[in-house]
Amino acid sequence: MINLADLEAAIRNALPVSHLEIQDQSSGCGESYAIVLVSEAFEGKGTLARHRFVNDLLKDQIAQMHAFSQKTFTPKQYQDLVAKQG
């Protein structure tokens, strides 16, 4: 089991973060997380490459979870998404 603060620290220590949302989807037991991660480190990478990159960075944390989902964006993509929704 991993707690939200440890997961956030692992992400923020591994890459530059423009925006980060972490949702514990396991009612607080730390077994299932969903993240929205915005980073300039994703520039030039496709979705699969980004997910592999994040999975590799967080492999120790993910190994302690039952489920992990992610949405990854470049700052420009996220800005465009927010503009569409808003």
Side-chain angles (χ1 to χ4, degrees):
M1 174 175 70
I2 185 162
N3 69 46
L4 192 139
D6 290 342
L7 181 59
E8 181 174 356
I11 293 168
R12 291 190 183 277
N13 290 333
L15 68 162
V17 174
S18 301
H19 178 81
L20 177 62
E21 296 173 24
I22 303 175
Q23 182 181 20
D24 183 347
Q25 298 183 316
S26 58
S27 301
C29 73
E31 290 187 359
S32 178
Y33 286 98
I35 67 168
V36 175
L37 177 57
V38 181
S39 176
E40 62 191 34
F42 299 141
E43 296 287 350
K45 291 181 169 70
T47 302
L48 184 57
R50 294 174 192 181
H51 288 194
R52 287 180 174 160
F53 179 66
V54 171
N55 287 346
D56 188 50
L57 290 174
L58 300 176
K59 63 184 169 208
D60 293 338
Q61 291 80 12
I62 292 171
Q64 299 174 54
M65 298 178 205
H66 176 71
F68 177 75
S69 66
Q70 59 181 299
K71 292 182 182 177
T72 54
F73 302 97
T74 65
K76 172 79 170 108
Q77 288 173 322
Y78 188 70
Q79 191 176 34
D80 292 346
L81 178 69
V82 169
K84 271 190 215 177
Q85 293 175 345

